[in-house]
Amino acid sequence: GQQLNQSPQSMFIQEGEDVSMNCTSSSIFNTWLWYKQDPGEGPVLLIALYKAGELTSNGRLTAQFGITRKDSFLNISASIPSDVGIYFCAGPPVSNYQLIWGAGTKLIIKP
Amino acid sequence: DVKVTQSSRYLVKRTGEKVFLECVQDMDHENMFWYRQDPGLGLRLIYFSYDVKMKEKGDIPEGYSVSREKKERFSLILESASTNQTSMYLCASSFILAGAKYGYTFGSGTRLTVV
C-alpha cells in the first residue's frame, strides 16, 4: 500500500536541543496528523492539521501543513527526556478517508 | 475518558494455534481497525470495518480474519499462527466529522510472540 516518506528514521539528540522531522507524499492530502507512541503503548494524537499552510502548536510542539498539500513537518523545541518515543505522521489522500502512515521517527535523547 | 481496550498486553502462542485478539471501544465509533507494527515498517493495516458485520481487507490480510458482531467489538483472528506473525498488534477506532476531521484512538497494543 501507499506509504508516506517520513524522515529521519531515527534521531539521537541531546536534552534541550530542538528537533525537526517531516513527511512527504506523492498525493495531495486534505488532513495531516501527527502521533506519538510511547514505549509499550499505542500512538496518541499530538496535532491535527486541516488546511494548507496551517501552523499549529501544542506546547513545545509545532506542526505545519505544507502549501503544496503534499508535506508536513513537526518541530519539538527544547527536548526533554519524556519526548522519547516514535513519532508518526498520517493522513488520508483526497477522496479517501482511510489513513496512510509514515514509517515513524524514533527519537532518542541522550542525557 | 474515551478508551480502546485490547484484551491482552502480551501473548505467547505456539505455531499452528488459532489466536483471538479482542478489541473493545466505548466511544460509539463506526470505524475500527487492526494494524500490526514491526520495527522500521511503521503501521500496516490488516483489516478494517466501517459497520457491524462489515469488513474490508487492508494491506496485509493474508493469514488473518476478523469479526465484528457488535459495534463496540472488533476481533482479529490468526487462523493458524506462524512465527512470522510475531509482532505488536494495535487496534484503533475512529469517527469522521464533517470537513474531514478525524478522531483515531488506539489501544495499548498486544505484543504477540509465536514460538
Side-chain angles (χ1 to χ4, degrees):
Chain A
Q2 182 181 0
Q3 199 172 42
L4 301 176
N5 291 317
Q6 184 173 352
S7 64
Q9 188 173 14
S10 61
M11 302 181 74
F12 293 79
I13 63 168
Q14 297 278 359
E15 184 177 348
E17 285 185 14
D18 295 342
V19 172
S20 184
M21 61 192 78
N22 67 83
C23 272
T24 60
S25 169
S26 57
S27 304
I28 292 174
F29 278 43
N30 56 22
T31 299
W32 282 97
L33 306 170
W34 285 94
Y35 282 80
K36 183 196 176 192
Q37 184 180 28
D38 290 324
E41 298 293 333
V44 173
L45 182 66
L46 296 174
I47 293 177
L49 303 161
Y50 301 110
K51 292 195 313 186
E54 181 179 355
L55 185 71
T56 297
S57 293
N58 179 2
R60 293 177 296 105
L61 278 61
T62 302
Q64 186 159 26
F65 193 144
I67 291 294
T68 65
R69 298 171 67 189
K70 292 183 177 181
D71 61 346
S72 178
F73 71 76
L74 175 70
N75 287 341
I76 305 172
S77 62
S79 58
I80 60 177
S82 62
D83 290 335
V84 299
I86 303 176
Y87 292 79
F88 291 100
C89 61
V94 173
S95 302
N96 183 345
Y97 56 90
Q98 188 183 131
L99 288 187
I100 306 297
W101 293 84
T105 295
K106 188 172 185 178
L107 184 61
I108 299 164
I109 296 178
K110 296 175 283 189
Chain B
D1 197 16
V2 295
K3 287 185 74 172
V4 175
T5 303
Q6 293 183 231
S7 55
S8 304
R9 291 298 297 268
Y10 300 94
L11 277 178
V12 180
K13 296 292 182 180
R14 295 194 180 278
T15 299
E17 275 193 73
K18 190 169 186 176
V19 181
F20 293 86
L21 303 184
E22 305 287 345
C23 176
V24 177
Q25 52 100 358
D26 64 0
M27 297 164 283
D28 201 34
H29 285 172
E30 284 77 20
N31 313 316
M32 297 189 74
F33 307 82
W34 274 106
Y35 290 89
R36 67 175 279 176
Q37 182 179 17
D38 300 289
L41 297 178
L43 301 176
R44 293 184 291 167
L45 183 63
I46 305 172
Y47 266 96
F48 58 99
S49 169
Y50 292 140
D51 202 351
V52 175
K53 296 191 184 294
M54 176 273 179
K55 58 185 178 184
E56 292 285 345
K57 293 180 179 179
D59 298 323
I60 52 164
E62 295 77 19
Y64 303 94
S65 62
V66 290
S67 172
R68 193 165 182 202
E69 296 296 318
K70 295 184 178 181
K71 189 176 185 179
E72 66 271 19
R73 186 180 297 271
F74 193 35
S75 303
L76 179 69
I77 304 157
L78 285 67
E79 297 291 342
S80 177
S82 63
T83 54
N84 63 14
Q85 292 178 309
T86 292
S87 187
M88 168 73 97
Y89 290 87
L90 289 163
C91 174
S93 70
S94 80
F95 62 91
I96 300 175
L97 301 177
K101 293 187 184 294
Y102 288 76
Y104 260 60
T105 303
F106 283 86
S108 296
T110 296
R111 186 164 293 283
L112 173 67
T113 302
V114 182
V115 298

